[in-house]
């Protein structure tokens, strides 16, 4: 009986994400907690499954970005409700890496970084987004405090891509460079530039950024 | 015949967009992350949150500022032959700046832009008869990056006599630009009387000014230079996806800048503009050449006319990567719609979503603009043009090519293309089957070989270079 009930909750969570329905996600998650459902199961067998289907549809071009993003937000909402209960169940959500993202100092371009962050999140990375116009010191600080596996630096302008180099140099001078994989991106960058400044990875768009990030994580 | 005009919006619809924008400004507010700006708003009685920088501007302040904007402006040129007086029905074309790559003139391959490319592209534009004002088209990638604005300004000013628009890139940047202009004009006063430079102020959407640009345009206003305002909301990403909502947001943002400029110095010449565009929902790229992009342009013109301000908009921009069929249709649609919509100053001419500029593409643009301006001119209906007498004289089975009337009128009535292919298949085959890109490339090489302008004196040129070098010294962190 309990089993059936759990199965139903998981299925409903999956469907709620597939239906882009964050209100449903919220209320089902609350029920799940009230019923002591395993939060890890809720995330992995419920929410993430729905997201998988949504991602499949996105790659098949059955749906476009707005659906993907709204589904991603719904999933985020669910995770935010379930996560605090992870500790109680002494389990951890599998995530494939922790990423700190940000747009460099002097640059307010936000859209590309947001899409990359979201796809990272959907792919199973834990994401900490520092926002836009982020000075090098704040990146260094975040690497020291949060100890991410990867740092993602977005910059879209000729005048601001040197900041990506400053961040990498600053990591070096704080002896933190070896502790973190650095990916750079944004319209003004290219592979050559990434190499020139000593970044570990680069990608031209969000989908390839996820691929590259996964590859980099494996190499680590 | 009056200039044909395309209106998407009724008077009531313009009014409701305006009222929505006023509400946005009054209730949601706009962020001005510059202390001085907050001071100015505070003093005039707007609701200012000094911590967050959020300013809520009541309608009376907005209306008062709108009324102070001069309805006309002249874009002066270093050579007065190219002065552009902007009046109610003016429609002229120019360029926007800051692409990072070029298509190599020899190979057609995409590569990083150099300072030399910028000089060449500028000279080609200088030679194009229908492109009348410009912004440094590319950001050279082989100069100190942090001072790339200053380097690109120096190069552009050295290679054209037409009006040049600079970015309002900070107080220092604006001062650098004015120093360059003054060096050419022979003093700041001379430059100020006939400013052949002006400044572009872009307001990041949604509803938050950029500190550098905000400081920059305040300085330009203080010093009395014309300012082009724009915001570039991306409908569906940084603005509502509904076209009406995107227009209302865009309008609020542009007005917020204009209000500040008028508060800083009442009567500052400003140009009401927009870079409103959409996000392509499949790729997540910003499309700068969609049908919706075309619809926005006449609406922007309607709003500017409503405010009695000169208008400008981004146009002839391509998602297309190279000079192909897609590029052609994108350019033609947006140019024609914007011209018929009555936008005064139409600026653009870049490929690959603003990343690529190519010198030969300017020759293509020049051609398309020629055709568009011809359409815009319409035709006269009078005794002479109705040609009753000629018809009677030539009569049934006659040939009008023989008539004096044809010779007298064809130059005005018919547009003569310059690089458009109109010969027969056989003739085209004999020429080696060139497509338009190839023809434009040959024309461009010829321009680069032959186009001469009176150069700046050696002394003035090196003064411009010195200003750029000093900026690099100031800005490049070691
Ligand atoms: C939209 C836009 C804006 C908007 C930004 C709105 C917002 N909230 O983000 C606004 C209007 C605010 C804006 C402002 C300016 N902009 Co702008 N802008 C653009 C535009 C058209 C699109 C950028 C965008 O959002 N693209 C869509 C996203 C999805 O793509 P993306 O950012 O490239 O991101 C993708 C990849 O690059 C990659 N990626 C991105 N980040 C990262 C990070 C990592 C780690 C990885 C792996 C991958 C990755 O994945 C993303 C998703 O696929 C570009 C031109 C262009 N086509 O790129 C110009 C452009 C970048 N802007 C430019 C300029 C000059 C400016 C201004 C300085 C203009 C001015 N004179 O004031 C200001 C800058 C203010 C500032 N201090 O930053 C120039 C830069 C030129 C140069 N020489 O470097 C460009 C190229 C346009 C041009 N030719 O003039 N801009």
């Amino acid at each position: 009986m309990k089993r059936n009930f759990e199965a139903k909750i998981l299925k409903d969570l999956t469907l709620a994400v597939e239906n882009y329905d964050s209100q449903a996600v919220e209320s089902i998650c609350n029920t799940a907690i009230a019923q002591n459902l395993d939060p890890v199961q809720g995330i992995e067998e419920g929410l993430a499954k729905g997201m998988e289907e949504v991602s499949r549809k996105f790659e098949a071009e059955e749906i476009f970005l707005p659906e993907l993003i709204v589904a991603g937000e719904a999933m985020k909402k669910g995770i935010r409700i379930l996560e605090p209960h992870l500790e109680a169940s002494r389990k951890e959500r599998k995530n494939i890496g922790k990423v700190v993202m940000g747009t460099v100092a002097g640059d307010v371009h936000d859209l590309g970084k947001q899409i990359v962050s979201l796809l990272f999140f959907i792919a199973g990375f834990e994401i900490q987004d520092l926002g836009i116009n982020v000075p090098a010191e704040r990146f260094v600080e975040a690497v020291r405090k949060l100890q991410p596996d990867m740092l993602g630096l977005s910059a879209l302008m000729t005048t601001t891509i040197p900041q990506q180099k400053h961040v990498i140099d600053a990591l070096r001078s704080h002896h933190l460079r070896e502790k973190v994989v650095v990916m750079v991106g944004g319209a003004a960058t290219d592979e050559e530039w990434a190499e020139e400044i000593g970044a570990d990875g680069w990608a031209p768009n969000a989908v390839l950024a996820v691929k590259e990030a996964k590859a980099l994580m494996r190499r680590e | 015949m009056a200039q044909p005009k395309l209106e998407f919006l009724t008077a009531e619809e313009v009014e409701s967009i305006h009222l929505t924008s006023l509400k946005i400004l009054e209730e949601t507010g706009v962020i001005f992350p510059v202390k001085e700006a907050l001071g100015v708003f505070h003093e005039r009685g707007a609701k200012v949150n000094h911590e967050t920088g959020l300013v809520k501007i009541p309608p009376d302040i907005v209306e008062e500022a709108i009324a102070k904007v001069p309805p006309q402006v002249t874009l002066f040129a270093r050579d007065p032959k190219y002065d552009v007086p902007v009046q109610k029905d003016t429609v002229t074309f120019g360029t926007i700046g800051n692409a990072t790559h070029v298509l190599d003139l020899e190979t057609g391959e995409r590569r990083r832009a150099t300072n030399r490319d910028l000089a060449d592209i500028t000279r080609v534009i200088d030679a194009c008869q229908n492109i009348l004002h410009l912004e440094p088209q590319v950001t050279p990638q082989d100069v100190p990056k942090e001072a790339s604005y200053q380097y690109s300004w120096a190069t552009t000013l050295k290679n054209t006599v037409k009006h040049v628009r600079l970015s309002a890139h900070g107080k220092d940047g604006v001062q650098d630009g004015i120093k360059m202009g003054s060096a050419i004009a022979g003093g700041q006063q001379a430059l100020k009387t006939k400013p052949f430079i002006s400044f572009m102020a872009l307001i990041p959407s949604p509803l938050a000014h950029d500190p550098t640009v905000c400081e920059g345009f305040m300085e330009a206003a203080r010093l009395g230079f014309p300012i082009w305002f724009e915001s570039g909301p991306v409908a569906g990403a940084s603005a509502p996806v509904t076209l009406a909502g995107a227009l209302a947001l865009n309008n609020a943002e542009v007005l917020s800048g204009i209000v500040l400029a008028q508060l800083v110095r009442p009567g500052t010449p400003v140009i009401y503009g927009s870079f409103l565009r959409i996000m392509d929902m499949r790729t997540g790229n910003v499309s700068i050449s969609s049908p919706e992009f075309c619809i926005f342009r006449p609406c922007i013109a309607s709003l500017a006319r409503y405010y009695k301000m000169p208008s400008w908009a981004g146009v002839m921009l391509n998602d297309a990567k190279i000079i192909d069929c897609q590029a052609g249709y994108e350019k033609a649609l947006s140019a024609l719609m914007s011209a018929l919509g009555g936008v005064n100053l139409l600026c653009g001419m870049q490929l690959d979503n603003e990343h690529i500029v190519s010198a030969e593409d300017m020759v293509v643009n020049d051609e398309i603009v020629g055709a568009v301006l011809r359409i815009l001119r319409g035709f006269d209906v009078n005794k002479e043009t109705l040609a009753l007498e000629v018809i009677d004289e030539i009569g049934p089975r006659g040939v009008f090519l023989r008539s004096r009337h044809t010779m007298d009128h064809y130059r005005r009535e018919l547009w003569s293309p310059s690089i458009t292919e109109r010969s027969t298949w056989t003739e085209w085959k004999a020429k080696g089957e060139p497509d338009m890109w190839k023809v434009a490339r040959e024309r461009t090489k010829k321009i680069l070989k032959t186009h001469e302008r009176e150069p700046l004196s050696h002394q003035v040129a090196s003064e411009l270079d010195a200003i750029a070098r000093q900026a690099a010294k100031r800005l490049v962190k070691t």
Side-chain angles (χ1 to χ4, degrees):
Chain A
M1 187 62 204
K2 175 143 197 284
R3 274 245 119 92
N4 273 345
F5 183 71
E6 272 179 14
K8 180 169 183 324
I9 288 190
L10 293 176
K11 179 121 201 279
D12 285 349
L13 275 178
T14 304
L15 279 177
V17 174
E18 280 180 34
N19 291 331
Y20 321 111
D21 190 344
S22 64
Q23 266 179 342
V25 166
E26 186 173 2
S27 71
I28 300 167
C29 284
N30 286 330
T31 315
I33 286 163
Q35 303 289 333
N36 282 324
L37 183 102
D38 175 5
V40 174
Q41 224 184 349
I43 294 173
E44 277 163 18
E45 288 167 42
L47 298 169
K49 255 202 181 147
M51 204 60 222
E52 258 167 47
E53 172 60 9
V54 172
S55 301
R56 185 201 62 75
K57 282 192 189 156
F58 179 70
E59 293 203 358
E61 303 197 347
E62 285 167 33
I63 55 167
F64 291 168
L65 270 174
E67 289 95 341
L68 182 73
I69 290 180
V70 172
E73 294 295 333
M75 171 162 157
K76 248 192 219 166
K77 193 165 206 177
I79 290 180
R80 247 181 255 129
I81 299 172
L82 297 178
E83 229 164 20
H85 301 272
L86 283 176
E87 244 164 80
S89 69
R90 291 183 186 288
K91 283 188 192 159
E92 262 190 31
R93 172 162 103 94
K94 265 188 280 169
N95 68 51
I96 54 179
K98 190 197 261 185
V99 184
V100 167
M101 286 283 291
T103 301
V104 299
D107 203 321
V108 304
H109 292 89
D110 201 19
L111 304 173
K113 185 209 64 194
Q114 289 214 22
I115 294 175
V116 175
S117 298
L118 186 84
L119 293 208
F120 275 180
F121 175 78
I122 289 170
F125 286 96
E126 187 188 332
I127 286 287
Q128 191 77 35
D129 188 338
L130 302 184
I132 53 176
N133 196 5
V134 179
E137 308 82 62
R138 267 192 57 214
F139 281 115
V140 171
E141 183 75 11
V143 169
R144 193 194 328 254
K145 275 206 182 131
L146 306 170
Q147 304 188 333
D149 303 288
M150 197 171 91
L151 180 64
L153 304 171
S154 187
L156 267 82
M157 301 189 290
T158 308
T159 44
T160 55
I161 59 174
Q163 285 292 334
Q164 295 179 326
K165 183 170 184 300
H166 290 321
V167 175
I168 293 177
D169 292 346
L171 287 174
R172 225 175 257 132
S173 63
H174 287 82
H175 309 289
L176 289 167
R177 179 67 187 89
E178 275 65 47
K179 302 230 183 306
V180 68
V181 169
V182 180
M183 265 188 96
V184 295
T189 63
D190 54 25
E191 200 152 19
E192 218 181 312
W193 169 252
E195 218 161 276
E196 197 179 313
I197 62 173
D200 302 303
W202 173 85
N205 62 42
V207 174
L208 293 177
V210 171
K211 267 197 192 141
E212 171 82 0
K214 283 182 173 167
L216 287 168
M217 287 297 98
R218 255 177 264 127
R219 229 174 292 156
E220 274 305 284
Chain B
M1 174 180 210
Q3 191 165 309
K5 195 141 281 160
L6 180 65
E7 295 263 13
F8 272 81
L9 298 170
T10 63
E12 298 81 68
E13 286 166 344
V14 169
E15 181 81 18
S16 71
I17 291 175
H18 168 66
L19 292 174
T20 306
S21 304
L22 288 184
K23 277 240 153 48
I24 297 171
L25 291 171
E26 186 179 23
E27 288 167 17
T28 310
V30 180
I31 291 178
F32 289 85
V34 173
K35 264 214 175 89
E36 249 190 296
L38 298 181
V40 170
F41 276 115
H42 177 81
E43 201 166 297
R44 177 59 188 79
K47 248 196 243 161
V48 175
N49 182 326
H50 289 272
E51 241 151 68
T52 60
L54 188 73
V55 179
K56 296 188 172 175
I57 317 172
D60 62 304
I61 299 185
V62 181
E63 305 273 12
E64 190 185 296
I66 291 171
K68 287 193 173 131
V69 173
Q72 292 179 1
V73 63
T74 296
L75 302 179
F76 290 98
R78 185 142 70 80
D79 178 346
K81 207 166 89 201
Y82 295 100
D83 286 354
V84 180
V86 184
Q87 283 144 6
K88 203 170 120 268
D89 284 332
T90 303
V91 172
T92 64
F93 285 80
T95 69
I96 59 156
N98 307 327
T100 48
H101 289 73
V102 295
L103 295 177
D104 188 272
L105 185 56
E106 292 300 331
T107 66
E109 295 290 324
R110 168 187 184 271
R111 60 167 174 75
R112 287 181 185 176
T114 64
N115 208 11
R116 172 69 201 271
D117 291 324
L118 179 58
D120 285 350
I121 293 165
T122 308
R123 279 176 59 222
V124 173
I125 296 172
D126 193 71
C128 287
Q129 134 188 12
N130 299 312
I131 308 179
L132 296 184
H133 33 87
L134 56 156
E135 197 171 323
Q137 284 278 95
V138 293
T139 306
Q141 303 294 302
D142 57 349
V143 302
K145 289 192 169 51
E146 293 87 339
S148 49
Y149 280 112
Q150 284 82 350
Y151 280 86
S152 68
W153 299 344
T155 304
T156 305
L157 288 166
K158 280 191 257 177
N159 286 284
T160 184
V161 293
K162 296 178 179 175
H163 184 87
V164 179
R165 185 177 65 240
L166 314 176
S167 295
H169 192 67
K171 201 171 180 171
D172 293 348
V174 165
Q175 286 172 0
D176 286 337
I178 292 173
K179 267 189 234 159
M180 290 189 190
S182 306
I184 297 170
Q188 186 166 325
Q189 206 41 52
L191 177 67
K192 245 174 102 165
T193 4
K194 290 193 170 178
F196 51 82
I197 57 169
S198 51
F199 291 93
M200 165 71 76
L202 180 140
I203 302 150
S205 301
L207 300 168
H209 282 254
D210 176 84
T212 311
V213 175
C214 185
E215 275 171 17
F217 81 71
M218 287 179 79
E219 181 70 1
R222 217 172 277 126
L223 297 171
F225 284 82
I227 307 168
W228 307 53
F229 278 99
E230 65 162 320
S231 84
V234 180
S238 60
V241 75
T242 43
L243 307 198
L247 275 164
L249 180 73
N250 176 89
N251 188 45
E253 290 166 347
V254 173
L255 289 178
S256 77
I258 291 175
V259 170
L260 179 55
Q262 297 307 320
L263 288 178
V264 168
R265 204 184 66 102
T268 296
V270 302
I271 300 163
Y272 175 101
S274 170
F275 226 84
L276 193 47
R277 50 212 151 158
I278 64 152
M279 175 164 276
D280 176 73
M281 292 304 182
R282 192 156 57 80
T283 58
N285 287 333
V286 174
S287 165
I288 48 173
S289 187
S290 59
E292 300 79 21
F293 187 93
C294 296
I295 294 174
F296 283 138
R297 271 58 206 154
C299 302
I300 291 155
S302 299
L303 284 159
R305 279 195 294 273
Y306 174 74
Y307 295 130
K308 299 196 171 57
M309 294 180 196
S311 61
W312 86 273
V315 69
M316 294 186 92
L317 295 154
N318 293 108
D319 297 339
K321 312 296 161 205
I322 54 170
I323 302 166
D324 61 359
C325 178
Q326 180 179 336
Y329 104 70
E330 289 174 344
K331 290 172 194 298
L333 270 189
S334 73
L336 185 60
M337 294 269 292
S338 311
L340 289 174
V343 180
N344 297 138
L345 302 160
L346 290 161
C347 312
M349 308 185 181
Q350 300 187 333
L351 296 161
D352 184 28
N353 317 71
E354 302 183 81
H355 291 134
I356 295 180
V357 163
S358 104
E360 65 270 31
D361 191 35
M362 295 306 130
V363 173
V364 175
N365 289 318
D366 199 35
E367 180 85 346
I368 295 174
V369 173
V372 166
L373 291 177
R374 168 63 194 95
I375 294 171
L376 198 63
R377 187 156 53 78
F379 60 92
D380 295 327
V381 181
N382 55 41
K383 187 155 176 289
E384 176 67 12
T385 62
L386 283 167
L388 179 61
E389 272 166 35
V390 189
I391 296 169
D392 184 53
E393 183 198 319
I394 303 288
R397 297 215 167 118
V399 175
F400 286 85
L401 186 58
R402 269 180 23 217
S403 118
R404 173 77 202 206
H405 183 266
T406 302
M407 195 191 94
D408 286 345
H409 287 281
Y410 87 95
R411 277 182 193 277
R412 182 168 160 78
E413 294 286 313
L414 310 182
W415 172 67
S416 252
S418 157
I419 57 164
T420 300
E421 183 59 66
R422 280 184 175 175
S423 56
T424 62
W425 179 275
T426 321
E427 288 162 321
W428 173 68
K429 195 99 184 148
K431 283 189 269 185
E433 306 173 36
D435 63 6
M436 199 177 213
W437 190 354
K438 178 148 186 252
V439 179
R441 215 181 257 155
E442 294 314 314
R443 178 65 57 90
T444 303
K445 287 181 188 164
K446 199 165 140 201
I447 292 173
L448 287 174
K449 240 186 247 149
T450 57
H451 182 67
E452 295 275 0
R453 275 287 181 223
E454 198 182 304
L456 291 177
S457 76
H458 180 71
Q459 190 209 334
V460 170
S462 46
E463 246 177 273
L464 302 194
D465 291 336
I467 295 167
R469 271 199 312 275
Q470 279 154 16
K473 236 189 203 163
R474 189 176 75 226
L475 295 165
V476 179
K477 286 187 201 147
T478 43

